[in-house]
Amino acid sequence: MHNKQKNMEENKQLIRQSNVLTESRYDFDPIEKRCIYTIIQKVRKDYVEGQRSLFDNMLVHLQPSALLQIVDAKHTKQAKDALNRLRKRDIEIENDNMWLICGFINWAKFEKEKNVWTVEVSSQIMPYLVELAAKYTEYSLTVAISLKSKWAQRFYELCCQYKNNNNGYFGKTIDQLRQMFMLEDKYKLLTDFKAKVINKAQKELKEAYDKGQCDVWFDYFQKGKGADARFDFIIHTKESDIKQTELWENMKTQTIYIVKVLQLTYKTDPKFVKRVTNELQINPDLLHPMFDKITKLQKDFKGGEFAKLLRWVLKEDFKIQ
């Protein structure tokens, strides 16, 4: 338990980026993305402390210790390879007002005597890293860097973007996901796309969540088939899971109460009791209003009068004969 709590405390090392960047079109491998996470953290720190201009390319100096988050102790070659690939990758952003395609970094350099890495971040991407206004994604650097697959990284960011909005829900069509992830020509079969992308990300996030190494994971539901498929994602957090447990416990308590009241009130009509309980199973949204109606009636009426009025209410308000 102590280690789990320690992990969750470490996960509070937060960084932010614009929602536009979170949902932009790109394809970085996990090591490239770890480079980006490390650079974002340094850019935001240097920008806030140094009041840099958004209109200039920004030089970011990375100490070897920062690169240890990206690869391992023998990081020089891997870091070179990752930064080299990253320099050649594009990020594509499009909205109603403009379209932008640019590289994340312009160049990278390693000064061997100083043992310092330097990258130049494009001025075109700077606003999405530091000028966030109200629409930004906040996520744990520790979690993001620890994730092994690029799909887990992407879905982690999406979950962090939406976890406090829309009751922890977001929806994407298959076309939207393919466009964001640059997968228009890969995993053509929907079953392959789900297995290789969505399910893979879900499994990794859930396993990390269960170990106390990640603060979110997701469930999803599919609507439609083939090219018309749409996915509804439900985001789980520690707070939302507690609320969901409380909700289920409350529903369970109310259901037991209603059934007991019905059984005591209509001892000679078990079929009617069965019809009411069946309706509650089919339409659980009726539970809370039915519970409220019954408890209010119990305050003012007793015995036969209560039984008569309750049956009338169940018929008129809930359409149960």
Side-chain angles (χ1 to χ4, degrees):
M1 180 63 70
H2 176 72
N3 289 337
K4 188 172 183 177
Q5 290 175 342
K6 182 179 179 181
N7 286 336
M8 294 306 290
E9 286 298 317
E10 289 175 349
N11 292 345
K12 292 180 181 178
Q13 185 181 1
L14 302 176
I15 54 177
R16 295 175 177 178
Q17 66 189 32
S18 167
N19 288 351
V20 173
L21 188 60
T22 302
E23 302 213 26
S24 61
R25 173 178 165 81
Y26 63 81
D27 180 20
F28 301 134
D29 68 33
I31 294 180
E32 293 165 6
K33 198 64 191 290
R34 289 172 198 161
C35 289
I36 289 178
Y37 290 139
T38 305
I39 291 169
I40 289 175
Q41 180 194 35
K42 193 68 166 59
V43 164
R44 289 190 55 76
K45 182 177 183 296
D46 290 354
Y47 178 82
V48 170
E49 292 180 356
Q51 293 298 306
R52 300 294 298 270
S53 169
L54 283 175
F55 302 101
D56 296 330
N57 296 333
M58 185 173 180
L59 297 183
V60 177
H61 303 289
L62 302 174
Q63 298 298 324
S65 58
L67 293 176
L68 290 177
Q69 299 180 105
I70 300 169
V71 281
D72 55 32
K74 299 177 180 178
H75 58 263
T76 304
K77 185 179 186 306
Q78 288 175 288
K80 283 180 181 177
D81 291 344
L83 291 171
N84 187 33
R85 293 193 305 272
L86 185 58
R87 185 183 62 85
K88 300 172 184 176
R89 303 279 197 203
D90 291 325
I91 292 178
E92 188 174 349
I93 297 171
E94 184 170 10
N95 56 35
D96 293 336
N97 301 317
M98 66 93 187
W99 169 78
L100 168 69
I101 186 166
C102 68
F104 192 90
I105 63 173
N106 298 326
W107 54 262
K109 179 171 67 174
F110 176 51
E111 297 178 79
K112 297 180 180 180
E113 290 186 5
K114 296 180 181 179
N115 201 23
V116 172
W117 297 78
T118 303
V119 298
E120 183 182 74
V121 179
S122 169
S123 62
Q124 293 299 314
I125 210 73
M126 283 285 290
Y128 303 104
L129 304 183
V130 296
E131 196 179 58
L132 301 176
K135 296 181 179 180
Y136 62 83
T137 302
E138 183 176 71
Y139 55 90
S140 164
L141 174 65
T142 308
V143 173
I145 282 182
S146 71
L147 296 171
K148 296 179 176 62
S149 80
K150 58 184 176 182
W151 309 128
Q153 291 171 332
R154 291 301 299 266
F155 274 102
Y156 175 64
E157 291 179 30
L158 286 169
C159 286
C160 288
Q161 176 183 338
Y162 288 102
K163 68 180 180 181
N164 295 321
N165 301 317
N166 303 322
N167 295 315
Y169 153 90
F170 69 97
K172 296 289 181 187
T173 65
I174 182 63
D175 286 342
Q176 287 174 321
L177 291 175
R178 288 190 185 280
Q179 195 276 337
M180 284 173 56
F181 300 162
M182 300 180 69
L183 289 175
E184 290 91 342
D185 298 320
K186 198 171 182 181
Y187 308 132
K188 289 287 192 177
L189 292 176
L190 190 60
T191 52
D192 289 341
F193 186 93
K194 290 194 295 183
K196 301 295 186 180
V197 179
I198 303 178
N199 294 349
K200 184 174 183 179
Q202 182 190 46
K203 182 175 184 290
E204 183 174 349
L205 291 178
K206 180 61 165 63
E207 288 176 353
Y209 181 88
D210 288 342
K211 294 176 182 176
Q213 297 169 352
C214 183
D215 46 345
V216 297
W217 69 283
F218 66 89
D219 272 323
Y220 73 95
F221 304 92
Q222 178 184 333
K223 297 177 181 177
K225 298 179 180 179
D228 297 324
R230 173 187 171 85
F231 301 99
D232 293 336
F233 296 93
I234 309 300
I235 303 164
H236 293 274
T237 66
K238 182 179 179 181
E239 292 77 14
S240 68
D241 284 353
I242 290 173
K243 289 180 181 178
Q244 187 65 39
T245 300
E246 291 175 348
L247 176 62
W248 281 112
E249 288 299 322
N250 187 42
M251 291 178 66
K252 181 180 176 181
T253 300
Q254 291 187 2
T255 301
I256 292 172
Y257 182 84
I258 290 172
V259 171
K260 285 186 176 179
V261 169
L262 292 171
Q263 288 174 338
L264 290 172
T265 305
Y266 305 108
K267 294 178 181 178
T268 60
D269 194 356
K271 291 183 178 180
F272 176 66
V273 175
K274 184 66 174 176
R275 289 198 296 275
V276 177
T277 54
N278 285 344
E279 190 64 28
L280 285 177
Q281 290 177 344
I282 296 170
N283 298 301
D285 289 343
L286 299 179
L287 179 61
H288 296 309
M290 187 182 295
F291 177 81
D292 290 340
K293 290 279 187 180
I294 291 175
T295 52
K296 287 178 182 177
L297 284 174
Q298 282 184 313
K299 291 180 181 178
D300 300 321
F301 302 97
K302 304 294 180 183
E305 192 177 17
F306 170 75
K308 183 178 179 180
L309 283 171
L310 177 56
R311 190 183 285 267
W312 182 85
V313 166
L314 291 172
K315 178 182 177 181
E316 294 297 318
D317 293 359
F318 300 98
K319 311 304 178 186
I320 301 174
Q321 301 295 326

